[in-house]
Amino acid sequence: LNELVPLFRMVYAHSEAKEIMESFPDAPTFSLYVTKRFVKEVRKRASKQSRQDASRVILDYLKEGSLGHDFMVALCILSQLKAARENLVQAALPSTLVKCMYLFTDLPDIAAAPSSASSASEAEAKAESFEGQYLVFMKLSLSLFRHVSAVLELVKTDNLAFLFRTITIKCSAQNQVWRKGAMDWLGLIARHCLNLDIVKYIHSKACIAHNVVCLQAMRKELVLLLEQRSSRGGGGGATGVLASGNIAASTGAAGYGDGGSAAAIAAAAAATAAGTASAAPRASDAAVEPSAAAASGADKDGAVPVMEMVQMCGVLFCLLQESGKFSKVLLDDYASSKGYELLVDLLVAFGASFCPHGALDVPECRQAEDAMRMLLSSVTELVFCGPVAVKPPATKVVPFLDATFKVPSPQNAGFNVRNPAAFQVLQSAFVQSRSPLVQECVLSAMLNIFSLDAANYFILEPLHTLALCIEKVDSLAFDLKELLFKILEFVVCSLNFVPFPALVSMSIQLKGSSRPQRSTAMLALRTMTKLVNFDARYRDVFREVGLLDILHDHVFSFDAGTQSYEGEAAVAAAAAAGAAKPSTLFSDGDVFMAHMDCLALLLHANPANVRLFRDSPAYAAVFRLVTMPPDDRVGHGGAAGGAGAGGGAGVGAGGAGGVAGGGAASAAHREVLRVARAPALNVVLRLISAGARQAVEDMGKLLEVLQGTPPDRIDLKCDILRTIQRTFVGGRSSGSKGGGSDDNSLAKDVFREAGGFVSVISVLVGLEGSFGGAADNSTASSSSSSRTLAAPTPAMARSAASPFGSPAAAGAAGASYVEPSSKLGLLRMIFQTLATPMSGHAQNVAFFREQIGYATLTESLRLLALISTPESADLFENLLLLATDTFPRRADSSFVRRSISGSPDPGFAGAGGTPASAIPAWSAVFEGGRPHASSAASTASYLTALSSTSASHRHQRSAAPPVVHAAAVCVALRLLREERDDTVVCSVLQRVLAVVVGSDVNKQRLSGVGVVALLLDLWLVEQRRNGDGAACTSQASIAAVSRSERTDLVAMKSNVIM
């Protein structure tokens, strides 16, 4: 036999099984004899010797060139034959191989340092021989353990337990290759040979429990090793990190991918394993315990065996996954032996090992990171492992859940949660670990599991995973917070479920004793906005979980801090009102804007939220925030006025004076002061637009702020007027019957009942004399020296000492200088605010005519001292736009002089108005703009140009804008008598005449209010002043129209005279 085996090896080394059977039919019988001889020789060498001696003798017997090696190669060839394979098993070859593997883990060191060149070559030859032995040994073993019969032989001889002990046995660095081979064997057995008998054996021998205990001991040694290396090497934080779990931020490596399936996870794990293959030999050079490493002469510090631990866990995972397809026995064994707790501890320990201040160098950190990713991949696969599908509860009782909602059934076979205990590993690892990389990988794995099947979230929902994770949100890095809120949005938007516990947890975090971080607040507010925009019911959900109350508290806290500039008195007042101490969180303009925008969104179209807000201290605080001065004014004011702390407190006229002075504002609030007004006005707009009974009160408070605004706060007045105009723009009320009521009409009623017309006229009165000293009128005066006008009003004389005078005069008066363009913008806003609520609202038109009166409007405009200034054309333009109700239906504070300077005003293109192209640009016939008439000749030439321009646009007569407020034309003509600029007079008269003769309706309306009489009066005044033969302005303007139009106008004059 000793001679036949080498010959057989030489002849059939490269032959296939079919060829062997054809040429050597007795090969199965031959295999029985060869196996028995091989087993006998191995056992003879292992008997009556120590483990080390036995392993050395057996390895010598199997070395290349020996008879034992020939026998082993021959058995490899024979193992291809099915008939021969049964003889190999019958002769107990599998048990013999397992015992050899167990002994080889205790081989003595064969890699002693060479003393000469010859010994070095000798050592190299030994290494090559050992590699050949190992390859043949593993090839024979793997060919056998693919078959159930070989594994059953191990069960019968009770040697399968030896194999489980081998993968966790402590061994030197050089022998770890044998332990790795044992892991390969068990993995092969798990994938190809598991059945109920084998599972029962593994359970009866407590193999799973034994391996878990060994791995737990290795984890403790890992922690101890890291602590020792940290203390010796001065690695600052590792000792404290591992003791307390306070881990610093990681290196920022990329987290676990957002794969869409478990296959993607497996592919990522395979890629990770492939990437670490080159590092595996270095990892295998380390001993499990420091003492063994020192004894073997390996790394004196003891290399961290993280990769070996993950490989051991991987073997167990493979057994659990394969057995879980038909039995739950091993899964129960793993749970009862605290295997899941071990996984949590390993993930936390791995996260500690690669922290930047830990005890590992860069290569070891990378290896620990790869190990962590592989472990997480295996845990994720374990979530889908189990013999029985777990079904979600049939119904869910959650507040505000849609009545038609149905819990989805599992659909994606193979990716349904079957093992919730494995998912709890991810949850616990996230909560316990302080490593950002571990937390990121865990969150990504959770999102992947939820997205693989809609039923997965509902199966795991009793664990309250989202709520527990959100409790840690403040301790997370920004990317992790973003990912966590992304999961929350996925549950709401993709699963259409209301995660009530998670929202309660978010509310608790935002309302905690310590203020939330800026990033937490911003992401939470962004998520709230997304959810409300996704489904309006979340306005009610956020109210019930307390998030609306938190927004109230935050707004009030900011207001209290700004009023006092962090003063002790205001802090005490805030505490007495139930608000927390102001925080630097609210000194961030972006955060404040996000708070206010989210608050406005929650108040929109939700009466319950509006009622709750009105009862909170934040209600009065919002009106105070409206009056926030710009940052350069903070600290210059006097005593603070404004609303009280209670929800029912009013806003006094003094409240518009701004924030309390007496001290410089902290730099922390300056950024917010620049942006506070707009979001506060947006909140007030939502309150007024709610349409409830308190809307009149809200409008009244806003009008009080408007009336109490100092004269130089033009920007505040414009913003308030713009907000009032926005209340008039609306659609249909969702709560109305019969198709809905017009929100626009309701807002106009609210404006009238709250005294809006009176307040706006008071703002106009507040501009008294504001234009008289702001411009040099010498040009206008010299160009019109031949005309006789009324003397300047007293208001014009007083304007020099107001904020509207020169910059020097404004500074002397203790106010800010206001640019003329700002005043003109405010004037335009006043006219728009008067016109909009009267548009299409007969009751408001009658109220303004009877209670306010156009005479009051005329006198208020006269007191502006704007007539005969370079800006007077803007006044008449606004009056004509008011008369025709052709203001743009938008809140625009900017004003561009168009009709006089050469471009048609877009106001005529408003709703119901004439297109801008139909209105002639009267001065476009001149190059370089309109002329300044300094003589009768220039005036006559200008009027001739007007006549030709009118003739060119005669076909547009039918497109003249209809007159809505005819009395406004009268106001313009009365004020025109005081105008000294011939150019303005000509232009205004021409515009008025075009409107008068533009349609029969306009003739009737204007005749009824005396417009023609005013024109005639203006003509007679100029005729008496300039002489009967002079070509006065009004005559020439009338002559500029066509013959038929002039006939109509003469008839109208006759009616007036009669």
Side-chain angles (χ1 to χ4, degrees):
L1 190 61
N2 291 345
E3 296 176 357
L4 287 176
V5 168
L7 181 61
F8 177 83
R9 171 195 171 185
M10 197 169 14
V11 173
Y12 295 107
H14 303 289
S15 301
E16 296 182 356
K18 183 178 180 181
E19 183 181 350
I20 295 174
M21 289 300 297
E22 290 176 354
S23 60
F24 188 23
D26 293 332
T29 306
F30 178 73
S31 66
L32 180 61
Y33 289 105
V34 173
T35 305
K36 288 183 177 180
R37 173 67 66 85
F38 179 78
V39 170
K40 179 181 178 182
E41 292 295 330
V42 170
R43 290 181 176 179
K44 181 176 67 173
R45 286 166 174 76
S47 62
K48 298 181 181 181
Q49 297 197 49
S50 65
R51 287 179 55 186
Q52 281 196 350
D53 292 340
S55 62
R56 179 177 52 79
V57 172
I58 294 174
L59 194 63
D60 288 341
Y61 173 68
L62 299 178
K63 67 182 179 180
E64 285 188 340
S66 66
L67 185 61
H69 188 267
D70 290 338
F71 269 80
M72 191 165 57
V73 173
L75 289 174
C76 285
I77 298 172
L78 292 169
S79 63
Q80 302 177 59
L81 308 178
K82 183 177 181 180
R85 194 182 304 125
E86 297 299 326
N87 292 332
L88 270 61
V89 172
Q90 182 182 351
L93 180 60
S95 299
T96 303
L97 294 176
V98 169
K99 290 178 180 178
C100 287
M101 181 70 79
Y102 182 77
L103 292 174
F104 289 161
T105 58
D106 205 22
L107 278 169
D109 186 14
I110 60 174
S115 58
S116 62
S118 59
S119 58
S121 60
E122 211 173 296
E124 185 177 352
K126 283 184 178 181
E128 292 178 357
S129 175
F130 174 78
E131 184 179 356
Q133 289 175 281
Y134 178 78
L135 292 176
V136 174
F137 186 83
M138 289 301 296
K139 182 178 180 180
L140 174 60
S141 306
L142 294 177
S143 64
L144 279 178
F145 293 134
R146 290 178 179 273
H147 306 283
V148 177
S149 58
V151 181
L152 290 177
E153 193 273 335
L154 295 179
V155 171
K156 182 179 179 180
T157 57
D158 198 18
N159 285 310
L160 185 57
F162 268 105
L163 194 56
F164 276 93
R165 294 192 196 97
T166 303
I167 67 172
T168 56
I169 197 170
K170 295 179 181 180
C171 59
S172 61
Q174 69 163 9
N175 294 331
Q176 288 183 9
V177 64
W178 299 107
R179 188 171 65 188
K180 176 64 170 60
M183 296 179 193
D184 294 339
W185 289 2
L186 274 179
L188 195 66
I189 291 172
R191 288 189 294 271
H192 298 282
C193 304
L194 277 185
N195 57 30
L196 283 175
D197 293 334
I198 297 173
V199 168
K200 289 179 181 178
Y201 172 85
I202 295 173
H203 169 69
S204 64
K205 295 296 181 178
C207 296
I208 301 296
H210 168 78
N211 282 44
V212 170
V213 171
C214 293
L215 285 169
Q216 191 64 262
M218 294 174 69
R219 185 199 65 82
K220 294 178 180 178
E221 290 176 356
L222 168 64
V223 174
L224 179 62
L225 176 60
L226 290 174
E227 290 178 345
Q228 290 174 350
R229 292 180 62 177
S230 177
S231 61
R232 289 198 299 268
T239 301
V241 162
L242 294 173
S244 63
N246 296 323
I247 299 174
S250 77
T251 57
Y256 187 78
D258 291 333
S261 64
I265 300 176
T272 302
T276 56
S278 60
R282 293 197 299 273
S284 63
D285 290 341
V288 174
E289 56 183 355
S291 58
S296 63
D299 185 2
K300 293 183 179 181
D301 287 334
V304 182
V306 290
M307 192 59 68
E308 287 76 8
M309 295 173 68
V310 171
Q311 291 169 350
M312 296 174 194
C313 291
V315 173
L316 294 183
F317 290 154
C318 189
L319 285 167
L320 296 177
Q321 291 176 16
E322 296 300 329
S323 66
K325 296 177 180 178
F326 57 87
S327 173
K328 200 179 178 183
V329 173
L330 298 187
L331 287 171
D332 292 338
D333 286 350
Y334 191 75
S336 61
S337 61
K338 298 184 178 180
Y340 295 115
E341 289 84 345
L342 166 67
L343 295 178
V344 175
D345 294 339
L346 284 176
L347 289 172
V348 174
F350 290 166
S353 65
F354 54 74
C355 71
H357 301 291
L360 299 183
D361 55 20
V362 173
E364 288 177 325
C365 283
R366 291 176 179 172
Q367 193 177 88
E369 179 182 334
D370 292 340
M372 182 272 298
R373 293 179 185 276
M374 293 174 65
L375 187 61
L376 269 176
S377 175
S378 299
V379 173
T380 304
E381 292 290 347
L382 204 59
V383 172
F384 308 116
C385 175
V388 180
V390 180
K391 295 183 179 180
T395 58
K396 299 290 291 185
V397 181
V398 178
F400 298 100
L401 190 62
D402 192 349
T404 61
F405 176 81
K406 293 183 179 180
V407 178
S409 301
Q411 301 291 334
N412 196 0
F415 299 111
N416 311 126
V417 172
R418 292 171 174 257
N419 188 8
F423 185 85
Q424 272 191 298
V425 172
L426 301 176
Q427 179 174 303
S428 301
F430 179 85
V431 173
Q432 296 180 26
S433 177
R434 297 297 178 88
S435 167
L437 183 57
V438 172
Q439 292 171 333
E440 182 181 4
C441 293
V442 169
L443 286 179
S444 297
M446 287 180 176
L447 180 58
N448 189 40
I449 291 171
F450 293 154
S451 61
L452 285 174
D453 195 300
N456 287 346
Y457 174 81
F458 298 98
I459 295 173
L460 301 169
E461 201 269 338
L463 300 178
H464 302 299
T465 303
L466 275 180
L468 292 175
C469 293
I470 290 176
E471 289 179 1
K472 288 195 60 177
V473 66
D474 259 349
S475 64
L476 303 178
F478 178 81
D479 292 343
L480 301 183
K481 294 177 184 179
E482 196 171 28
L483 183 56
L484 180 56
F485 283 110
K486 180 180 178 182
I487 297 176
L488 180 61
E489 294 168 10
F490 169 81
V491 173
V492 172
C493 301
S494 297
L495 304 181
N496 200 26
F497 183 70
V498 181
F500 209 78
L503 296 176
V504 171
S505 180
M506 184 170 72
S507 175
I508 293 173
Q509 292 304 307
L510 293 177
K511 197 176 182 179
S513 56
S514 59
R515 286 298 185 184
Q517 297 177 359
R518 179 188 187 278
S519 58
T520 303
M522 290 295 289
L523 289 172
L525 292 170
R526 186 181 72 177
T527 297
M528 291 172 64
T529 302
K530 286 184 179 180
L531 299 190
V532 172
N533 289 330
F534 171 75
D535 195 330
R537 63 178 164 174
Y538 280 92
R539 292 188 173 97
D540 298 319
V541 174
F542 292 150
R543 181 185 67 249
E544 294 302 320
V545 300
L547 287 171
L548 182 59
D549 291 331
I550 292 171
L551 294 179
H552 296 171
D553 293 343
H554 286 183
V555 172
F556 180 73
S557 296
F558 168 77
D559 176 65
T562 304
Q563 289 280 0
S564 64
Y565 309 134
E566 306 292 349
E568 294 181 358
V571 172
K581 180 178 179 181
S583 167
T584 55
L585 169 70
F586 308 107
S587 64
D588 190 299
D590 292 338
V591 176
F592 176 75
M593 288 283 287
H595 271 85
M596 298 297 288
D597 290 344
C598 188
L599 176 60
L601 186 63
L602 294 182
L603 295 178
H604 177 67
N606 194 295
N609 288 355
V610 170
R611 286 194 299 269
L612 184 63
F613 178 75
R614 285 196 175 104
D615 294 335
S616 71
Y619 176 68
V622 165
F623 284 96
R624 285 194 296 271
L625 291 174
V626 169
T627 66
M628 283 292 170
D631 59 334
D632 56 347
R633 300 188 183 206
V634 177
H636 299 162
V651 180
V659 187
S666 62
H669 289 88
R670 289 186 179 273
E671 175 65 23
V672 184
L673 291 175
R674 288 193 287 266
V675 298
R677 185 191 307 156
L681 284 172
N682 190 31
V683 172
V684 174
L685 173 65
R686 301 300 181 185
L687 294 174
I688 298 174
S689 302
R693 292 177 301 173
Q694 293 84 354
V696 176
E697 179 184 352
D698 299 331
M699 178 69 81
K701 290 181 184 295
L702 187 60
L703 293 172
E704 287 179 16
V705 174
L706 176 65
Q707 293 181 15
T709 302
D712 59 339
R713 296 292 303 280
I714 297 295
D715 57 335
L716 176 57
K717 292 179 180 180
C718 287
D719 287 341
I720 293 176
L721 291 175
R722 186 182 299 107
T723 301
I724 292 174
Q725 291 183 51
R726 289 175 61 192
T727 63
F728 303 139
V729 180
R732 295 285 179 180
S733 174
S734 60
S736 61
K737 297 180 181 180
S741 61
D742 191 350
D743 285 344
N744 192 298
S745 178
L746 292 176
K748 292 175 181 179
D749 290 334
V750 169
F751 178 76
R752 182 189 68 253
E753 294 172 9
F757 288 109
V758 176
S759 299
V760 174
I761 291 295
S762 70
V763 175
L764 182 61
V765 173
L767 291 174
E768 178 182 351
S770 59
F771 293 92
D776 182 9
N777 299 330
S778 59
T779 303
S781 298
S782 62
S783 65
S784 313
S785 58
S786 62
R787 304 187 56 190
T788 303
L789 295 174
T793 63
M796 296 173 64
R798 293 195 302 268
S799 66
S802 71
F804 308 111
S806 64
S816 301
Y817 172 67
V818 179
E819 294 287 344
S821 59
S822 300
K823 293 179 287 185
L824 292 174
L826 176 59
L827 184 62
R828 166 60 73 95
M829 294 297 297
I830 291 172
F831 274 100
Q832 283 185 282
T833 310
L834 290 175
T836 307
M838 290 193 292
S839 178
H841 199 288
Q843 192 172 359
N844 281 357
V845 172
F847 179 87
F848 184 83
R849 183 179 63 250
E850 297 169 5
Q851 302 297 325
I852 305 297
Y854 284 93
T856 302
L857 178 62
T858 304
E859 187 61 26
S860 300
L861 294 175
R862 180 178 288 111
L863 293 177
L864 295 179
L866 180 58
I867 301 174
S868 296
T869 66
E871 295 85 12
S872 61
D874 298 321
L875 171 61
F876 295 108
E877 181 72 19
N878 286 324
L879 283 170
L880 294 179
L881 291 176
L882 174 63
T884 54
D885 191 21
T886 50
F887 280 106
R889 292 298 181 254
R890 66 179 186 275
D892 186 4
S893 62
S894 63
F895 176 62
V896 181
R897 297 167 62 192
R898 297 177 176 90
S899 63
I900 303 300
S901 62
S903 300
D905 192 290
F908 284 97
T914 305
S917 60
I919 300 176
W922 304 114
S923 61
V925 295
F926 296 103
E927 295 182 0
R930 72 183 184 202
H932 289 282
S934 58
S935 64
S938 61
T939 302
S941 63
Y942 180 66
L943 296 174
T944 302
L946 286 179
S947 178
S948 62
T949 306
S950 177
S952 66
H953 292 279
R954 194 167 293 134
H955 65 281
Q956 297 174 355
R957 173 177 175 177
S958 61
V963 175
V964 179
H965 307 295
V969 179
C970 297
V971 174
L973 293 177
R974 289 190 181 98
L975 296 176
L976 193 63
R977 298 175 60 184
E978 304 175 14
E979 178 59 51
R980 291 178 289 177
D981 190 336
D982 289 339
T983 304
V984 174
V985 173
C986 292
S987 178
V988 173
L989 284 175
Q990 207 284 332
R991 291 280 296 275
V992 172
L993 292 174
V995 171
V996 170
V997 300
S999 68
D1000 295 335
V1001 175
N1002 287 352
K1003 291 178 186 178
Q1004 183 178 359
R1005 289 178 180 175
L1006 293 174
S1007 298
V1009 297
V1011 169
V1012 179
L1014 289 172
L1015 285 171
L1016 181 61
D1017 181 60
L1018 184 61
W1019 172 63
L1020 293 175
V1021 169
E1022 291 198 6
Q1023 188 178 41
R1024 286 195 299 268
R1025 183 185 62 218
N1026 298 318
D1028 292 339
C1032 64
T1033 304
S1034 57
Q1035 281 182 310
S1037 298
I1038 295 174
V1041 300
S1042 66
R1043 181 178 300 274
S1044 60
E1045 292 170 343
R1046 188 159 55 245
T1047 302
D1048 294 339
L1049 188 58
V1050 169
M1052 294 171 65
K1053 281 198 251 180
S1054 301
N1055 294 334
V1056 172
I1057 294 173
M1058 293 176 60

